[in-house]
Amino acid sequence: MSMEISSLTPGVLVDTPAARVAVQPAAGRLSLRARKAALPALGAALGVSLPTRIGQRAAGGGIEAICLGPDEWTILTPADAVAGLLAAGAGVDHPHSLVDISARELTLRIQGPRAADLLTLACPRDIDTIPVGEGRRTVFDGATVVLWRDGENSFRMDIWNSFAPHLARLMGIGARELAAEPA
Amino acid sequence: MLLIHCPYCDETLPEAEFTYAGEAHVIRPPDPSALSDDDWQGFLFIRSNTRGPHYERWRHFHGCGRFFNAVRDTVSDRFLTTYPAGQPRPALETLTAASEDRK
Ligand SMILES: [Zn+2]
């Protein structure tokens, strides 16, 4: 069996009446680790007020932040803003780590009338426990992913590159299966 | 599938997001070279293998990433409680009483 293992390029992977899955254009991604005391200063430097409850998101000035753990955040930015944010973070006088992880992951956009159903294919978590406007790190068929819920049936999924071809293929099968179900 | 409450995320989530990490409250000796071979072996390898409520570590691997502690009954698989790492071991009587209340 021939398998496509090269990295995915931006574009639509599958488009059925049930769901549409597309690889998003490359984005800037930063991983931030810091203690609570450093948050006000870091937020001011990065231009976004960092949320403190796990799963909460914040957006501002073209960047988005999500709280993934008690001391961990992921920040999404336009690719050309990464260097500026790293420099801004370096000026903060609190111990922290701010690392460019742009090359580590890609993002799928999953939307359509049955997008939430499609995610139940390989995610053991109850998708309905993720409120619209929040996100969670969870697992999808064995791979750790970050799921952003932008709407009732609109999601983004951040996936480490090495898992992406497998999950993309799975999404394709799932979207076609859901579309083939008798109404 | 077990449902496990992560004390950091404050959500009850499927076991598939978690990994088991052995017995809890095993304290590493501050000066290992002062120990006899038997005592060092005891620290490294010997665990209580409890039948009943077991104090154990879990990690919310596909989530917040944190290690935490839990008390799980090894017979029924029922979780009596979970609590952040570093907190003292909760007394068993309080847990079983609370667990009876929930029945
Ligand atoms: Zn957690």
Side-chain angles (χ1 to χ4, degrees), chain A residues 54 68-70 125, chain B residues 5-11 13 17-18 59-66 68:
Chain A
I54 295 172
L68 295 178
R125 176 192 270 269
Chain B
H5 184 84
C6 174
Y8 294 98
C9 295
D10 196 22
E11 283 190 287
L13 298 164
E17 288 195 359
F18 298 83
R59 184 179 180 209
H60 192 188
F61 184 82
H62 301 290
C64 64
R66 282 300 173 115
F68 59 90

Side-chain angles (χ1 to χ4, degrees), chain A residues 56-134:
Chain A
Q56 249 180 342
R57 290 158 46 172
I63 76 176
E64 279 187 282
I66 183 169
C67 180
L68 295 178
D71 59 1
E72 182 179 5
W73 292 261
T74 285
I75 294 160
L76 300 187
T77 78
D80 58 7
V82 170
L85 288 174
L86 287 175
V92 173
D93 192 21
H94 284 277
H96 69 277
S97 131
L98 185 64
V99 177
D100 181 2
I101 55 164
S102 306
R104 187 178 78 177
E105 297 168 16
L106 59 75
T107 298
L108 298 182
R109 158 82 58 196
I110 301 139
Q111 56 193 355
R114 305 207 54 194
D117 294 340
L118 176 59
L119 294 175
T120 64
L121 180 74
C123 183
R125 176 192 270 269
D126 180 358
I127 301 297
D128 284 343
T129 60
I130 308 174
V132 171
E134 293 197 7

